[in-house]
Amino acid sequence: ARDKEGFMSLNSTAFSHPAYFLLVGIPGMEKEQFWIAFPVCIMYAIAVLGNITLLLIIKTDPSLHEPMYLFLAMLAFSDLGISTSMLPKMLGIFWLGSREIGFVSCLAQLFFIHTFSLLESGMLVAMALDRYVAICRPLRYSSILSLPVVVALGSLVLVRGVLLVSPACFLLHRMPFCQHHIISHSYCEHMAVVKLACGDTRVNVIYGLFVALTVTGPDILLISVSYTMILRAVMRLSSTEARLKAFSTCVSHVCVILTFYIPALFSFLTHRFGKSIPPYIHIMMANLYLLVPPTLNPIVYGMRTKKLWDRVVLL
């Protein structure tokens, strides 16, 4: 009887948690994935090289230990976290057909991807606020954004990400998954995994919606207000050359920010309402919002910041 009970318990565990999931990659584009992997690999190399270079330069140069550059270092850290959490495995799927990912590894990947995504969003807000204070309140810049304030903001954003993503992983760990183990995605995304569960997933769906609305909504609002105020201040400048230079910088920053939020919102809404959208378009957009910003951020924020670019050239 004891052996029978142990066997049933073992069966129950296997029923609840599959040993592994299978990642499809890009549904409907399995044959093209091999070639898609080449530009993806190049972008990953640029992201890693660019962000590590920024981190090393900011760390070794004491003159760059200012709020703007410290926020940029945190952004580079989140970019490295996002890209490294997903791209090595994605390239393994595209080039080697290595589709298997263990259940715990899948939850770990999900945790890191979403935590670093929330950190990225928070850092974009912090950098927008930094630019607002520098341009609109220059005389109070050092008092408003002192080093303790910068450290507190960075810590708050990181803790926010960890605290909001952890319950989602915990809820998934408690769900039974039956025999469904094929994830129609390139990585372990929250809603893609939730769809495989065979229990009641309403709590998971509602919590995912809650996190998206409480993070993305306020973050986009704060960034929009900051850049609106910045543009108003820029338009008041007397020098046409100064106006054009400041306007060009703001536009490039806003474009990079949009490359993060637009595909992210598209992916989020498609999971819930976009049943008619082809899966390959959805997955491509979901990949782009985690791949493009880490590639562009060191180029846009690094090359268009003269002080940083001078250090890069010197290096």
Side-chain angles (χ1 to χ4, degrees):
R2 189 175 299 168
D3 288 345
K4 186 177 179 181
E5 186 180 335
F7 176 76
M8 288 175 67
S9 173
L10 206 67
N11 251 5
S12 173
T13 304
F15 174 85
S16 297
H17 295 160
Y20 61 88
F21 290 116
L22 289 176
L23 290 162
V24 170
I26 305 175
M29 298 187 71
E30 287 81 3
K31 292 181 180 178
E32 292 83 2
Q33 287 179 171
F34 180 84
W35 302 107
I36 292 172
F38 285 97
V40 166
C41 185
I42 292 169
M43 292 176 76
Y44 179 50
I46 293 170
V48 170
L49 180 63
N51 286 297
I52 288 178
T53 301
L54 282 183
L55 285 171
L56 288 175
I57 289 172
I58 293 169
K59 180 180 183 298
T60 55
D61 191 337
S63 69
L64 296 178
H65 295 175
E66 300 173 4
M68 174 184 172
Y69 303 107
L70 294 176
F71 286 137
L72 183 56
M74 295 177 202
L75 184 69
F77 172 72
S78 67
D79 284 337
L80 283 172
I82 289 173
S83 53
T84 304
S85 296
M86 61 170 282
L87 279 168
K89 181 61 182 176
M90 188 187 297
L91 291 173
I93 297 167
F94 291 177
W95 272 336
L96 307 174
S98 176
R99 299 168 61 200
E100 287 189 13
I101 184 168
F103 178 79
V104 175
S105 299
C106 184
L107 289 187
Q109 187 189 52
L110 185 154
F111 172 80
F112 285 115
I113 286 174
H114 289 292
T115 299
F116 281 118
S117 295
L118 296 187
L119 178 60
E120 176 104 354
S121 182
M123 283 301 104
L124 291 174
V125 174
M127 292 180 73
L129 292 174
D130 170 78
R131 291 300 83 206
Y132 163 75
V133 176
I135 293 171
C136 301
R137 299 286 185 273
L139 298 179
R140 299 185 58 198
Y141 181 78
S142 56
S143 60
I144 294 174
L145 288 175
S146 60
L147 184 59
V149 171
V150 171
V151 173
L153 275 174
S155 303
L156 182 64
V157 170
L158 179 60
V159 170
R160 179 187 72 165
V162 172
L163 291 181
L164 287 175
V165 176
S166 296
C169 297
F170 176 74
L171 288 169
L172 278 173
H173 192 271
R174 291 170 55 89
M175 294 295 296
F177 282 88
C178 307
Q179 296 178 358
H180 306 293
H181 63 283
I182 298 177
I183 301 176
S184 297
H185 215 297
S186 305
Y187 55 88
C188 290
E189 197 269 344
H190 177 249
M191 281 305 299
V193 179
V194 167
K195 287 178 179 178
L196 300 183
C198 57
D200 186 357
T201 60
R202 281 178 297 180
V203 174
N204 302 69
V205 173
I206 291 169
Y207 185 74
L209 186 64
F210 164 77
V211 171
L213 292 177
T214 54
V215 172
T216 309
D219 284 3
I220 290 176
L221 179 63
L222 285 171
I223 290 171
S224 301
V225 170
S226 296
Y227 275 101
T228 300
M229 300 296 288
I230 288 169
L231 288 172
R232 285 180 61 187
V234 165
M235 296 311 292
R236 293 196 197 104
L237 294 174
S238 56
S239 167
T240 304
E241 186 181 347
R243 276 205 307 270
L244 288 174
K245 186 178 178 181
F247 184 75
S248 172
T249 302
C250 287
V251 167
S252 63
H253 289 185
V254 170
C255 287
V256 172
I257 290 167
L258 291 177
T259 61
F260 177 76
Y261 284 111
I262 290 176
L265 288 171
F266 178 87
S267 177
F268 169 77
L269 294 172
T270 301
H271 265 306
R272 289 156 179 85
F273 312 111
K275 306 298 181 185
S276 61
I277 294 173
Y280 70 91
I281 292 178
H282 172 207
I283 303 307
M284 287 289 283
M285 291 294 283
N287 291 342
L288 285 175
Y289 102 86
L290 295 180
L291 177 60
V292 174
T295 307
L296 289 182
N297 284 341
I299 296 171
V300 172
Y301 289 108
M303 291 179 68
R304 293 187 70 87
T305 306
K306 187 180 185 304
K307 198 172 178 181
L308 255 179
W309 180 239
D310 290 344
R311 302 299 188 281
V312 173
V313 172
L314 198 63
L315 183 67

